[in-house]
Amino acid sequence: MRTALLQSSGRPGSIAENLKVLDEAAGRAAAAGAALLAAPEMFLTGYAIGGDIARLAEPADGDSADAIAEIAGRHALAIAYGYPERDGDTVYNSAQLISAAGTRLANYRKTHLFGCFERDHFTPGEQPVVQAELNGMTVGLMICYDVEFPENVRAHALAGTDLLLVPTAQMHPFQFVAESLVPVRAWENQMYVAYVNRAGQEGEFEFVGLSVLAGPDGVARTRAGREEQLVLADADPGFLAASREANPYLKDRRPGLYRSLV
């Protein structure tokens, strides 16, 4: 499944402008044969927008979800994107996957909030594994800091995730996560991991880019630089099946020894 990663911070504070950026990227991705376009954490509104997070937050089935469903249908590709989700008086840092037919397939709420900024504005989610079937692959969702917890990714592996989408807002000086940790997560859990970042300065944060789609062999299939960029790579189910057959990590686990972890 050809997957496009939109490395962009969009236009912080403007949902309308970010929808335009997403629409343009969807057109380029579809023209390149992509079946899936993934955008970064909080792409819909911007990340470093402070009190505007609550003001711009929308329900999972809100107007922006409808607009993105229309974009997905018009370009005939699935879209995953980050946004602030409002559920009553509660706001979550969420990611949603919408199919090429415009159907809402999965909605995930970030379970591990990073730093005081996120804890001041969001409530953590409670469901670690959220998945959907897409083009014959099991696609999972998590957000940024979540992927840095090995238990989180292993839970996806045990639940059968083939391609893990990780919208992120990775900032300086933590670029080693994109460079080193994400390919290791893909290898040790025998899955594809698509880590799609913001880029450039936004408020107090300097986002480092380096978006990557890593394969189950730990090799980056594509990697962006530090600027805004659209990169593409294939998640190959056949290669994944062969890699899982050859790599015994999941089969050789001894869960009875790990009870102290929980």
Side-chain angles (χ1 to χ4, degrees):
M1 178 166 59
R2 182 153 295 176
T3 302
L5 311 183
L6 173 58
Q7 179 169 287
S8 172
S9 289
R11 307 294 178 264
S14 175
I15 291 176
E17 289 301 314
N18 291 328
L19 289 172
K20 290 180 183 178
V21 172
L22 190 66
D23 192 2
E24 188 272 339
R28 286 191 287 145
L36 169 63
L37 171 66
E41 179 177 7
M42 292 286 286
F43 181 78
L44 182 64
T45 60
Y47 182 89
I49 58 173
D52 283 343
I53 289 174
R55 180 178 66 82
L56 295 175
E58 296 185 17
D61 60 353
D63 291 344
S64 293
D66 289 343
I68 293 171
E70 190 278 329
I71 292 170
R74 179 157 38 84
H75 294 289
L77 85 172
I79 297 176
Y81 65 99
Y83 74 108
E85 179 193 354
R86 176 171 294 284
D87 185 357
D89 293 330
T90 305
V91 176
Y92 299 95
N93 183 338
S94 295
Q96 183 151 234
L97 175 63
I98 294 178
S99 76
T103 303
R104 293 174 50 245
L105 296 179
N107 188 69
Y108 170 77
R109 296 166 173 175
K110 189 173 185 177
T111 53
H112 296 77
L113 301 180
F114 179 77
C116 295
F117 178 84
E118 291 192 6
R119 289 192 287 269
D120 286 345
H121 293 286
F122 301 109
T123 295
E126 297 295 335
Q127 187 174 353
V129 177
V130 172
Q131 300 169 310
E133 296 302 311
L134 183 67
N135 291 18
M137 300 188 79
T138 300
V139 176
L141 291 169
M142 63 174 54
I143 299 173
C144 197
Y145 194 39
D146 291 327
V147 80
E148 299 177 39
F149 292 82
E151 301 90 343
N152 247 24
V153 188
R154 181 53 55 86
H156 268 275
L158 296 176
T161 293
D162 299 318
L163 170 61
L164 182 62
L165 302 179
V166 190
T168 191
Q170 182 63 66
M171 57 198 70
H172 179 80
F174 305 112
Q175 49 265 32
F176 67 89
V177 173
E179 293 171 336
S180 301
L181 187 147
V182 168
V184 169
R185 287 285 179 269
W187 162 257
E188 67 190 4
N189 291 289
Q190 287 299 290
M191 61 174 62
Y192 287 93
V193 180
Y195 187 80
V196 54
N197 199 10
R198 305 178 71 83
Q201 195 73 33
E202 188 179 333
E204 64 184 289
F205 305 112
E206 179 190 347
F207 298 114
V208 300
L210 302 174
S211 298
V212 60
L213 195 154
D217 52 0
V219 175
R221 298 300 191 270
T222 188
R223 186 184 290 281
R226 297 297 187 99
E227 306 300 323
E228 296 207 349
Q229 194 173 356
L230 182 72
V231 296
L232 298 97
D234 293 331
D236 181 352
F239 182 86
L240 178 60
S243 182
R244 286 173 170 172
E245 184 63 29
N247 187 311
Y249 277 156
L250 298 181
K251 290 181 288 188
D252 287 351
R253 291 172 64 253
R254 297 180 62 194
L257 301 181
Y258 316 143
R259 289 178 181 145
S260 61
L261 294 178
V262 294

